[in-house]
């Protein structure tokens, strides 16, 4: 392959500056919307008009799984459904995602995801939309294909289906008191996933200026977290541990994210293309390194210097000092396997590598982090049968004596091994146009290690395919290579890879040029001590007739090793003997070319590991292949040894240990001596002379080997400890501890968080949870206090600030008008008469109001702003009568100097009760007052501080009932009431429908009732049974709070935000007002002096004032101090001789 053309240094530097470094940004005015151009020219068509589904608005919305018509290939795995969920947060999840608190700010994610912009995004209250659909229209397929071919010009890929997900004008999540400059910023971007039968691509599109913020605030008090762009493979869960998947990070800091719309890996600004799944199990970026379209130089670009573009390589940071639009060194991180439960080890800090590497373009990659990779913090990555050794730049694992492997995975030397796995395929046989497909087929293999002989069986292979697969003995031959007999100084596959690798094989049959692709993935040792393998086969093979037999001669194959990659190729022949026909069995010879690549992770720090020859020869003999048509089982068997390149004549190769012709027990190790001499040694876990070995029963010899609460199960060569029922292994993997069954304390209410009116309990899995204070409160979540926003000067200087639980309100002072945040000087709004008078006077000029034209008429108004009943023209002397709207009454006009008798039509206002204080907070429009009167519940509209009595109407009329208490649930728009005639407690919807009785048993005389709209409970008093009770809103879970110390409980009210309950006791001997928490604790007397018969009771959350009426003193002075909307209640009951109760409820507008 020829060398790629190089850019001159000046061009490289200019392009690096244009891509990686931000120019100076002008500060945007606070709280001003940022202009965002229409992004449609770059984005694929989207929105409801194009058939998109829209994600529900919210902060962490989730959609149902999007079932795909064409499988998406991701990291080498076919995905049939996508969770375009938590898509609010800029990701497309491959599996059901966890709650956002668990993954935001973390990467990789365990559920697997494609992340064009992973951040805490929010579409609440219509702040943007998220659209998604699957599309196979020719127009959309053509657009996707054009983008892909920009990044991969040589590809023949043609998509048959695309998934389009568009985040349009989405907002960042904003907690209370956070950066106000983010409030109006919005982001728009799109992810396009294009798939064919064999591969898939991802396209990330970022229109110009479409990214206006690059990080969001954490809900976990972690400060600002930059957005993340990348790919994450789902974790694999094993019995004892979780193995993290591979991941690739494109951008994870503000500088690189800011440049997404300016840069590209496909030659067009804002376009990023990646191959995310094909024959490879990794992510491949586009590598178009030509100058971007429309790249413009500017003084800003020339001033840019050394700001680096950041990427991630696992836990290691990569700083690219100069960056082109090519991503030749695109990082891929594969997490190492773990042989223990993941939760037993605390998360490790990023590891230290301090290396400078130079690629052929001259780009410098500098790796560094904060913590050295040492055995101390990575011991768990080694096998329990291995030792860990530190090196200057890291650590390596190596198996102890008696064990074989690469240190991460170790097995007992000489002990038989078992391999289990699954096989699937889609294979055309001969000229048959219909493929034979199969999946989830079992593969089992048994290996006699000291002979290097591997027996492999694949079950449930149909006869139409089984005989034709007989020549492909190397399907199981890879297992033979793994456990081949090792000659001195040479290593088999397991010693090199530890049984963790991927194998890609291409078989080309000579003659008709049929091709078969075989992909195999070995995942190491599972919890049962068996190796695991997955196999996929796809292609076409020659047909071999049913009943035929196949013979394969012994062969040799060269394996070449170079930096974590092993390759081999060979041509193999096989002989087919067809079934006899007329006593004659014909034979013929076939051949195929075999090419394979094995990829694995190796430890680079131990130089002794590289002492093995780069080229080794695998010798395979005694090859046996068979297909059993009755059982539909395909069988392969072969003996394997690995050593130097040889023609087989050297004496060393004749040693029985290397040829497998020794007489050692199958559970023994053959130790070669000089010449043909050898001796046998039983493997670990066995005893004997080597010729005969018997298993050691560790459970009998060491009864306490597994400790308490565990049973020991003996197995060949080893033993297995299992915890008894009710116990499980602790973090050390050895001690059995009692199972702590997961309890969702947030759901059961057994958490330690503050009351739900002040704090939120967030379930985090298992029995764990976290407590967070609600907006407007501060604390650790277990104890939250109201934040007094009035101390922060949030209102206008000419406004009153009223702190409320979790919030606050502002009200302009008397003489000022506005919303409280902005107040301007100005009195009460002028009447019509005053306005006309002002206009007439102003027409004469600001300084010469008396020099009006002769015909000018100026209306006359009284002290209240009403028209005087008699109006006269000051110049002509004519007078006339007017109605209340200032209109002249016909026939009343008189001559000059004569005033007609006119009757006043504007009655002066009559003040009933005390006047309203100037700092009263007016009620919002649409507020009503609910009140009970015998068998009726009525509601009256309120306007300002007055009742519109002409708008009053009955909400409910039940003539045969006696309604005493009434309460309102503002969330469900439901009215609740008590009835002493039944007795019963009932409810009805404001929107109509029949009343429903929710409680009708075990009641005496239910009177006061209160609704906790946050906790969803009702409280009531019973003056006959002398008790206070609580129940859910539907009457369930009823219980008695108090049934002692009560004589005649009447009124009751709740303060849900603070979690308090208040009630009156009409005890003529000792009247009182009591309080407690809403759960019945902390009961105490609040007022007991100067009381007569306290009946009505209400609570003002704005001033934290408790107010009541007294039927004996007929006093309501306490009510006056409640300010605001409760003044209406004061006026309603003023001058009533017997103050019975506040049987009222304010019904605020929705």
């Amino acid at each position: 392959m020829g060398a790629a053309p190089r850019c001159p240094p000046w061009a490289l530097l200019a392009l690096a500056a244009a891509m990686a470094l931000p120019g100076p940004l002008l500060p945007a005015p606070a709280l001003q919307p940022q202009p965002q151009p229409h992004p449609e020219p770059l984005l694929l068509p989207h929105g409801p008009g194009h058939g998109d589904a829209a994600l529900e608005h919210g902060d962490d919305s989730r959609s149902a799984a999007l079932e795909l018509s064409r499988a998406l290939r991701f990291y080498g795995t076919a995905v049939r459904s996508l969770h375009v969920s938590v898509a609010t947060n800029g990701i497309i999840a491959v599996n059901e995602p966890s709650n956002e608190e668990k993954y935001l700010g973390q990467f990789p994610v365990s559920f697997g995801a494609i992340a064009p912009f992973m951040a805490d995004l929010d579409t609440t209250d219509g702040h943007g939309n998220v659209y998604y659909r699957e599309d196979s229209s020719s127009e959309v397929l053509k657009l996707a294909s054009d983008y892909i071919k920009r990044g991969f010009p040589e590809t023949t890929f043609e998509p048959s289906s695309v998934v389009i997900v568009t985040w349009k004008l989405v907002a960042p999540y904003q907690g209370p008191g956070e950066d106000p400059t983010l409030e109006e910023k919005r982001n728009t971007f799109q992810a396009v996933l294009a798939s064919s039968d064999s591969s898939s691509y991802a396209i990330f599109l970022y229109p110009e200026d479409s990214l206006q913020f690059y990080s969001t605030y954490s809900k976990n008090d972690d400060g600002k977290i930059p957005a993340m762009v990348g790919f994450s493979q789902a974790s694999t869960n094993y019995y004892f541990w979780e193995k993290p998947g591979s991941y690739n990070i494109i951008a994870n800091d503000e500088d690189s994210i800011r440049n997404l719309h300016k840069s590209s890996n496909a030659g067009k600004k804002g376009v990023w293309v990646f191959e995310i799944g094909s024959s490879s199990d990794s992510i491949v970026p586009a590598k178009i390194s030509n100058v971007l379209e429309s790249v413009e130089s500017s003084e800003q670009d020339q001033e840019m210097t050394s700001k680096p573009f950041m990427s991630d390589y696992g836990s290691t940071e990569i700083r690219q000092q100069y960056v082109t639009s090519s991503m030749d060194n695109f990082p891929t991180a594969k997490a190492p396997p773990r042989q223990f439960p993941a939760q037993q080890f605390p998360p490790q800090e990023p590891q230290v590598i301090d290396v400078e590497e130079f690629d052929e373009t001259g780009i410098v990659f500098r790796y560094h982090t904060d913590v050295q990779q040492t055995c101390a913090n990575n011991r768990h990555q080694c096998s329990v049968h291995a030792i860990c050794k530190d090196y200057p730049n890291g650590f390596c694992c190596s198996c102890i004596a008696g064990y074989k492997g690469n240190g991460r995975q170790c097995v007992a030397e000489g002990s038989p091994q078992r391999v289990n796995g699954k096989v699937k395929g889609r294979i055309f046989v001969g000229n048959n146009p219909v493929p034979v497909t199969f999946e989830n087929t079992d593969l089992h293999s048994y290996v006699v290690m000291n002979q290097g002989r591997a027996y492999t069986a694949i079950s449930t292979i149909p006869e139409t395919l089984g005989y034709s697969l007989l020549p492909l003995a190397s399907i199981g031959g890879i297992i033979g290579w793994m456990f081949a007999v090792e000659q001195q100084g040479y290593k088999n596959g397991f010693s090199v890879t530890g049984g963790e690798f991927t194998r890609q094989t291409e078989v080309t049959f000579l003659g008709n040029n049929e091709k078969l692709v075989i992909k195999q993935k070995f995942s190491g040792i599972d919890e049962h001590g068996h190796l695991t393998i997955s196999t996929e086969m796809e292609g076409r093979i020659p047909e071999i007739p049913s009943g035929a037999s196949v013979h394969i001669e012994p062969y040799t194959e060269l394996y070449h090793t170079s930096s974590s990659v092993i390759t081999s190729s060979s041509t193999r022949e096989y002989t087919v003997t067809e079934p006899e026909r007329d006593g004659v069995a014909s034979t013929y010879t076939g051949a195929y070319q075999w090419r394979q690549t094995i990829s694995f992770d190796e430890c680079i720090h131990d130089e002794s590991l590289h002492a093995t020859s780069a080229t080794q020869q695998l010798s395979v003999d005694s090859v046996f292949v068979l297909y059993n048509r009755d059982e539909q089982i395909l069988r392969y068997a072969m003996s394997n040894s690995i050593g130097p390149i040889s023609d087989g004549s050297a004496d060393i190769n004749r040693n029985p240990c290397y040829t497998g012709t020794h007489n050692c027990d199958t559970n023994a190790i053959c130790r070669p001596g000089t010449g043909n001499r050898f001796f046998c040694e039983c493997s670990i876990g066995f005893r004997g002379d080597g010729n005969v070995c018997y298993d050691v029963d560790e459970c009998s010899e060491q009864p306490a080997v597994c400790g308490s609460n565990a049973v020991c199960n003996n197995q060949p060569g080893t033993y297995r400890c299992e915890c008894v029922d009710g116990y499980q292994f602790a973090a050390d993997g050895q001690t059995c501890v009692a199972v702590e069954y997961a309890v969702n304390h947030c759901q059961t209410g057994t958490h330690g968080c503050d009351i739900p009116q002040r704090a939120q309990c967030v379930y985090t899995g298992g029995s764990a949870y976290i407590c967070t204070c609600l907006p407007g409160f501060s604390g650790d979540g277990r104890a939250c206090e109201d934040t007094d926003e009035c101390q922060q000067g949030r209102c206008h200087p000419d406004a009153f600030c009223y702190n409320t639980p979790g919030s606050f309100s502002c009200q302009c002072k008397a003489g000022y008008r506005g919303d409280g945040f902005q107040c301007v000087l100005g009195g009460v709004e002028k009447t019509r008469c005053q306005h006309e008078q002002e206009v007439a006077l102003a027409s004469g000029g600001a300084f010469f109001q008396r020099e009006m034209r002769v015909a000018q008429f100026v209306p006359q108004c009284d002290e209240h702003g009403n028209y005087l009943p008699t109006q006269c023209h000051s110049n002509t002397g004519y007078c006339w009568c007017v109605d209340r709207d200032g209109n002249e009454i016909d026939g009343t006009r008189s001559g000059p100097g004569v005033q007609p008798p006119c009757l006043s039509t504007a009655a002066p206002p009559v003040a009933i009760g005390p006047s309203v204080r100037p700092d009263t907070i007016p009620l919002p429009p649409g507020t009503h007052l609910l009140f009970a009167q015998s068998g009726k519940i009525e509601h009256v509209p309120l306007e300002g501080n007055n009742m519109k009595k002409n708008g009053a109407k009955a909400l409910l009329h039940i003539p045969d009932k006696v309604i005493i208490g009434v309460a309102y649930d503002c969330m469900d728009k439901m009215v609740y009431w008590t009835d002493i005639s039944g007795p019963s407690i009932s409810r009805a919807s404001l929107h109509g429908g029949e009343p429903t009785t929710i409680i009708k048993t075990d009641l005496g005389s239910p009177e006061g009732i209160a609704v906790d709209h946050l906790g969803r409970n009702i409280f009531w008093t019973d003056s006959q049974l002398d008790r206070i009770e609580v129940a859910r809103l539907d009457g369930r879970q009823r219980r008695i709070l108090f049934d002692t110390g009560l004589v005649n409980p009447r009124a009751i009210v709740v303060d849900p935000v603070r979690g308090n309950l208040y009630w009156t006791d009409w005890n003529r001997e000792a009247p009182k007002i009591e309080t407690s928490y809403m759960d019945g604790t902390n009961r105490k007397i609040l007022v007991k002096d100067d009381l007569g018969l306290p009946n009505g009771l209400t609570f003002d959350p704005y001033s934290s004032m408790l107010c009541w009426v007294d039927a004996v003193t007929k006093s309501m002075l306490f009510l006056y101090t409640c300010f605001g909307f409760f003044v209406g209640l004061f006026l309603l009951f003023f001058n009533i001789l017997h103050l019975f109760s506040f049987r009222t409820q304010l019904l605020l507008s929705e």
Side-chain angles (χ1 to χ4, degrees):
M1 180 182 294
R6 296 196 176 202
C7 293
W10 62 266
L12 185 63
L13 289 172
L15 188 55
M19 291 184 60
L21 308 176
L25 299 177
L26 294 177
L31 304 179
Q32 294 301 313
Q34 304 297 305
Q36 181 162 319
H38 294 291
E40 282 72 8
L42 188 68
L43 303 183
L44 269 63
H46 58 275
H50 295 278
D52 279 0
L55 198 65
E56 181 180 353
H57 288 125
D59 176 38
D60 186 14
S61 298
R62 302 163 180 262
S63 73
L66 176 62
E67 298 297 329
L68 304 179
S69 61
R70 179 77 58 186
L72 176 80
R73 297 187 178 273
F74 188 53
Y75 281 106
T77 302
V79 180
R80 291 290 177 183
S81 63
L82 285 180
H83 285 270
V84 187
S85 63
V86 197
T88 305
N89 290 331
I91 66 171
I92 302 169
V94 176
N95 297 302
E96 181 67 28
S98 55
N99 292 332
E100 63 176 17
E101 290 86 356
K102 296 183 182 180
Y103 70 82
L104 283 177
Q106 306 293 325
F107 209 82
V109 293
S110 60
F111 48 81
I114 297 165
F117 191 93
M118 188 177 87
D120 196 352
L121 306 179
D122 191 357
T123 59
T124 305
D125 299 329
H127 290 158
N129 291 283
V130 181
Y131 301 114
Y132 61 95
R133 75 179 186 277
E134 184 181 22
D135 198 324
S136 57
S137 63
S138 58
E139 297 85 357
V140 170
L141 295 180
K142 178 65 166 57
L143 291 173
S145 177
D146 290 346
Y147 276 135
I148 293 167
K149 290 178 180 177
R150 275 184 167 275
F152 297 87
E154 298 179 359
T155 184
T156 58
F157 173 81
E158 291 295 339
S160 54
S161 175
V162 297
V163 174
I164 304 172
V165 185
T166 309
W167 290 261
K168 189 163 187 177
L169 298 173
V170 294
Y173 170 78
Q174 280 281 85
E178 290 176 357
D179 191 353
T181 61
L182 289 176
E183 289 185 6
E184 299 300 328
K185 293 192 176 183
R186 300 292 182 266
N187 282 2
T188 295
F189 53 94
Q190 188 178 76
V192 181
L193 310 179
S195 298
S196 67
D197 288 337
S198 59
S199 58
S200 295
Y201 288 79
I203 309 165
F204 294 167
L205 301 175
Y206 307 95
E208 183 178 1
D209 294 329
S210 65
L211 300 182
Q212 298 182 356
F213 60 89
Y214 319 108
S215 57
T216 57
Y217 283 93
S218 166
K219 292 188 178 73
N220 299 325
D221 296 329
D222 295 331
K224 250 185 171 183
I225 299 177
M228 181 76 68
V229 180
F231 304 90
S232 175
Q233 185 184 24
S235 299
T236 303
N237 291 309
Y238 294 101
Y239 187 75
F240 287 113
W241 71 91
E242 178 182 279
K243 180 180 179 181
S246 301
Y247 65 97
N248 300 83
I249 296 177
I250 315 304
N252 65 344
D253 66 278
E254 290 203 0
D255 287 337
S256 53
I257 291 181
R258 182 182 288 110
N259 284 295
L260 286 173
H261 77 277
K262 303 176 185 177
S263 309
S264 173
N265 66 355
K268 183 178 177 65
K269 281 186 177 182
V271 179
W272 297 82
V273 185
F274 308 88
E275 184 182 19
I276 61 174
S278 61
S279 58
S280 170
D281 62 351
S282 60
I283 304 297
V284 180
K287 298 180 181 180
I288 299 302
S289 58
N290 57 297
V291 178
L292 300 176
E293 292 181 359
S294 305
V295 171
E296 298 176 359
S297 61
S298 66
E299 292 182 2
Q300 291 183 4
D301 293 333
Q302 295 171 10
E303 293 172 0
M304 299 173 185
T305 53
S306 60
K307 194 73 173 176
F309 184 97
M310 299 295 296
S311 300
D312 253 12
Y313 189 99
S315 59
T316 302
E317 179 183 79
I318 300 179
R319 292 182 179 266
Q320 297 178 216
Q321 300 296 86
Y322 304 105
V323 182
T324 68
S325 60
S326 171
M327 300 180 69
D328 296 330
N329 290 276
F330 185 76
T332 299
K334 292 192 175 182
R338 298 187 178 182
Q339 294 180 272
F340 298 91
Q343 61 269 25
Q344 81 180 69
F345 302 103
Q348 302 299 328
E349 298 294 331
Q351 309 301 315
V352 167
I353 306 177
D354 192 6
V355 181
E356 288 189 3
E357 296 181 3
F358 296 83
D359 72 356
E360 61 181 6
T361 67
I363 298 177
V364 179
F365 293 82
R366 190 179 305 276
Y367 303 76
H368 66 86
T369 50
D370 298 327
V371 179
Q372 172 72 23
Q373 283 191 3
T374 65
C375 293
N377 53 29
N378 287 278
R379 175 62 183 85
H380 58 281
Q381 297 195 24
C382 298
S383 166
V384 293
H385 303 299
I387 60 173
C388 183
K389 184 177 180 180
D390 285 320
Y391 293 88
N393 294 321
F395 71 96
C396 286
C397 310
S398 58
C399 298
I400 61 178
Y403 288 86
K404 302 287 290 185
N406 68 344
R408 292 181 183 270
Q409 306 278 358
C410 300
V411 297
E413 190 176 3
S415 62
Q417 297 299 313
R418 289 175 172 80
V419 182
N420 297 324
K422 296 292 184 179
V423 184
K424 67 177 180 179
R426 184 173 182 269
I427 302 175
F428 295 87
V429 179
N431 296 321
N432 194 330
V434 179
V436 178
T437 59
F438 56 94
E439 57 182 304
N440 207 34
T441 297
D442 290 325
L443 179 150
H444 298 284
S445 186
Y446 179 79
V447 182
V448 182
M449 280 187 66
N450 61 14
Q451 297 178 1
R453 188 154 184 82
Y455 302 89
T456 302
I458 304 176
S459 59
T460 323
I461 298 295
E463 183 177 346
T464 53
L465 176 63
Y467 287 99
S468 300
L469 286 176
L470 285 174
L472 299 175
S474 287
I475 294 174
I478 187 68
I479 300 171
W481 166 74
M482 267 211 304
F483 296 105
V485 173
E486 296 174 335
Q487 296 186 32
Q488 188 69 32
Y490 293 87
K491 293 184 176 182
N492 60 23
F494 190 81
S495 294
V496 175
T497 68
E500 292 181 309
F501 61 90
T502 58
R503 179 204 201 194
Q504 175 96 5
T505 305
E506 184 178 278
V507 184
T508 303
F509 290 88
L510 305 180
N512 295 328
N513 205 36
E514 295 102 329
K515 287 189 177 181
L516 180 71
V517 175
I518 304 173
K519 302 175 190 176
Q520 291 178 300
K521 183 172 184 178
F522 284 78
S523 303
I525 301 172
D526 65 12
E527 65 274 16
H528 303 292
H530 301 162
L531 280 168
T532 56
I533 176 179
S534 63
T535 302
E536 295 182 32
M537 297 186 287
E538 187 169 359
R540 185 180 295 274
I541 60 176
E543 183 176 8
I544 294 178
S546 296
S549 62
V550 173
H551 176 71
I552 301 175
E553 291 289 338
Y555 61 89
T556 60
E557 188 173 9
L558 298 182
Y559 281 72
H560 307 279
T561 304
S562 175
S563 65
S564 301
V565 175
I566 299 173
T567 58
S568 69
S569 60
S570 63
T571 300
R572 301 180 190 172
E573 293 186 350
Y574 58 93
T575 302
V576 178
T577 302
E578 296 184 342
E580 290 188 1
R581 293 181 181 177
D582 301 327
V584 178
S586 60
T587 62
Y588 65 90
T589 300
Y592 58 80
Q593 288 181 337
W594 181 278
R595 292 185 298 176
Q596 67 178 352
T597 300
I598 297 170
S599 302
F600 65 98
D601 292 329
E602 65 176 344
C603 190
I604 62 175
H605 308 299
D606 186 357
E607 293 297 330
S608 66
L609 297 178
H610 307 290
T612 305
S613 175
T615 301
Q616 302 185 111
Q617 178 175 291
L618 178 71
S619 299
V620 182
D621 59 15
S622 303
V623 183
F624 171 82
V625 295
L626 175 69
Y627 177 75
N628 186 318
R629 72 173 73 187
D630 296 328
E631 298 178 349
Q632 290 192 323
I633 295 179
L634 184 63
R635 301 182 188 276
Y636 302 112
M638 61 202 71
S639 297
N640 306 265
S641 65
I642 195 158
I645 302 175
S646 172
D647 59 4
S649 62
D651 290 341
I652 188 67
N653 293 334
R654 298 298 182 183
N655 190 291
C657 288
Y658 301 141
T659 61
T661 56
H662 55 78
N663 58 353
C664 299
D665 190 274
T666 56
N667 294 305
I669 307 165
C670 181
R671 301 292 189 189
T674 58
N676 290 332
R677 294 181 180 181
F678 65 93
F679 67 94
C680 303
E681 178 184 319
C682 292
S683 300
I684 292 177
F686 293 88
R687 290 198 188 107
D689 60 4
N691 296 315
V692 177
C693 300
Y694 60 92
D695 177 50
V696 175
D697 190 344
E698 294 88 353
C699 298
S700 298
E701 295 184 3
Q702 306 174 60
V705 66
C706 289
S708 58
N709 304 314
V711 294
C712 180
N713 293 321
N714 187 59
Q715 296 179 347
T718 186
Y719 64 95
R720 183 182 181 87
C721 297
E722 296 179 357
C723 296
V724 299
D725 289 343
Y727 288 81
Q728 64 183 6
F729 284 113
D732 60 5
Q734 300 174 354
T735 308
C736 291
V737 295
V739 175
E740 293 185 6
Y741 294 101
V743 177
N744 186 342
H745 293 283
C746 295
Q747 189 175 43
T748 60
T750 54
H751 57 80
C753 303
D754 206 340
I755 60 174
Q757 293 79 13
R758 291 193 287 261
Q760 178 185 16
C761 179
V762 180
Y763 179 58
T764 58
S767 298
Y769 64 90
I770 58 175
C771 302
T772 58
C773 294
L774 295 177
F777 295 90
S778 60
D780 60 1
R782 297 181 181 272
C784 299
E785 296 182 353
D786 175 52
T787 301
D788 189 352
E789 292 87 354
C790 294
Q791 298 296 325
Q792 303 171 2
R794 304 285 289 273
C795 299
H796 191 271
D798 294 315
F800 292 107
C801 181
Y802 298 97
N803 185 53
T804 59
S807 186
F808 70 102
S809 64
C810 303
Q811 177 69 35
C812 292
K813 296 178 181 178
Y816 291 85
R817 287 187 292 172
D819 60 2
F821 296 97
Q822 294 292 330
C823 298
V824 296
L825 186 64
V828 181
E829 186 177 356
K830 294 180 174 61
T831 65
R832 178 177 175 181
C833 180
Q834 292 169 332
H835 179 70
E836 290 182 357
Q837 187 181 66
E838 185 179 74
V839 171
L841 292 173
S843 64
F847 300 100
F848 304 98
Q849 294 184 357
R850 297 181 181 180
E851 300 180 8
M852 295 179 291
R853 57 182 186 207
V854 175
Q856 181 71 35
F857 166 69
V858 180
Q860 291 94 51
C861 312
D862 65 14
E863 60 183 353
H864 301 295
N866 300 315
Y867 289 99
L868 289 174
T870 303
Q871 297 286 324
C872 297
H873 197 289
S874 59
N875 288 57
T876 64
Y878 285 97
C879 297
W880 60 91
C881 298
V882 297
D883 60 19
R884 63 185 305 168
D885 295 324
N887 299 316
E888 181 179 351
I889 299 175
D890 293 340
T892 62
R893 184 177 288 264
S894 65
V898 179
Q899 290 192 5
C902 301
L903 298 177
S904 175
T905 58
V910 179
I912 301 177
S915 61
V916 178
R917 286 175 51 150
D919 57 356
T920 294
I921 301 174
L923 293 171
T927 303
H928 290 71
L929 184 69
L930 287 177
F931 64 94
Q933 184 176 351
S934 186
K936 291 190 298 182
I937 297 178
E938 301 184 62
H939 68 128
V940 180
L942 302 180
E943 187 175 272
N945 297 308
N946 300 310
M947 291 187 297
K948 300 179 66 174
K949 296 182 179 179
N950 55 350
K953 62 179 180 179
L955 179 69
L956 187 70
H957 190 200
I958 315 175
D960 56 340
K961 303 295 182 182
V962 179
I963 299 174
I964 298 297
V966 63
Y968 175 63
D969 176 18
C970 58
M971 295 184 69
D972 290 341
K973 309 298 183 291
M974 194 78 72
V975 180
Y976 293 76
W977 66 89
T978 58
D979 169 28
I980 62 173
S981 64
S984 64
I985 299 176
S986 305
R987 66 180 180 180
S989 172
L990 279 182
H991 302 303
E994 291 296 320
T996 302
T997 299
I998 58 175
I999 297 176
K1000 57 183 178 181
T1001 60
D1002 194 22
L1003 293 172
S1005 179
E1007 298 199 15
I1009 186 171
V1011 169
D1012 170 16
H1013 68 281
L1014 296 178
R1016 316 306 292 154
N1017 299 312
I1018 56 170
F1019 298 81
W1020 71 92
T1021 62
D1022 194 312
S1023 61
Q1024 181 176 323
L1025 301 178
D1026 294 334
R1027 64 192 187 195
I1028 296 175
E1029 298 187 62
V1030 62
R1032 305 298 287 177
L1033 291 181
D1034 58 4
R1036 295 181 299 108
Q1037 301 180 24
R1038 175 182 176 183
R1039 73 183 183 94
I1040 298 173
L1041 277 184
F1042 306 110
D1043 58 0
T1044 60
L1046 297 172
V1047 175
N1048 199 351
R1050 288 295 183 95
I1052 190 168
V1053 68
V1054 295
D1055 175 13
V1057 174
R1058 296 170 178 83
N1060 294 325
L1061 185 68
Y1062 304 94
W1063 66 92
T1064 67
D1065 189 346
W1066 194 353
N1067 178 359
R1068 294 181 181 272
E1069 302 298 327
K1072 59 186 175 181
I1073 299 175
E1074 291 188 87
T1075 182
S1076 75
Y1077 293 158
M1078 290 167 62
D1079 61 358
T1081 61
N1082 197 35
R1083 178 182 179 183
K1084 58 185 177 182
I1085 297 175
L1086 194 63
V1087 182
K1088 62 178 180 179
D1089 299 327
D1090 299 324
L1091 288 178
L1093 296 177
N1095 280 336
L1097 194 64
T1098 192
F1099 180 79
D1100 175 22
Y1102 282 83
S1103 63
S1104 301
M1105 189 76 71
L1106 184 69
C1107 314
W1108 66 92
V1109 293
D1110 195 306
V1112 172
T1113 64
K1114 299 181 175 60
S1115 171
M1116 300 182 65
L1117 295 179
F1118 292 100
L1119 184 63
Y1120 179 72
T1121 63
C1122 288
F1123 311 101
F1125 47 80
F1126 291 107
V1127 173
L1129 299 180
F1130 181 95
L1131 298 177
L1132 176 66
F1133 292 105
F1134 197 76
N1135 288 336
I1136 295 179
L1137 294 180
H1138 184 68
L1139 298 173
F1140 182 74
S1141 173
F1142 276 128
R1143 290 178 296 169
T1144 59
Q1145 187 81 36
L1146 281 176
L1147 173 58
L1148 300 180
S1149 59
E1150 299 180 16

